[in-house]
Amino acid sequence: PPSPCSAASDVYAMGVTVWEVFLKQLYYPNQDGTVTVPYTNVSGLRHALERMLHVDPSRRPSADQLMTFELFEAAERAATE
């Protein structure tokens, strides 16, 4: 049988972690597996979470693609300053 572990599952797990750190609440997907991101003023967070937590693993970004997201570009800039 195919392994449930993949790059897409790693991105999903990171999305859950980002959700809990930034939103300070446990992550629970909707019953159909989709995600409803609550209001946040953190730039780029909604877009990143919607993509990382997508119900279809093939629609999740790669790690390289994540680094082009506004949320992660800002974090990388802050880390190098």
Side-chain angles (χ1 to χ4, degrees):
S3 171
C5 298
S6 66
S9 67
D10 290 346
V11 168
Y12 188 90
M14 183 176 172
V16 171
T17 302
V18 168
W19 177 290
E20 293 180 355
V21 168
F22 279 92
L23 300 177
K24 297 181 175 84
Q25 57 183 264
L26 295 177
Y27 170 70
Y28 295 103
N30 299 325
Q31 286 191 344
D32 62 358
T34 60
V35 61
T36 304
V37 181
Y39 172 79
T40 177
N41 62 357
V42 177
S43 185
L45 181 59
R46 176 180 298 274
H47 172 73
L49 288 174
E50 287 173 346
R51 295 284 313 279
M52 294 170 75
L53 299 171
H54 199 284
V55 68
D56 179 355
S58 69
R59 303 268 317 265
R60 295 179 197 145
S62 68
D64 287 338
Q65 290 170 326
L66 281 177
M67 295 312 296
T68 66
F69 286 15
E70 180 182 4
L71 176 69
F72 297 107
E73 283 184 334
E76 186 175 26
R77 278 194 306 275
T80 58
E81 290 179 348

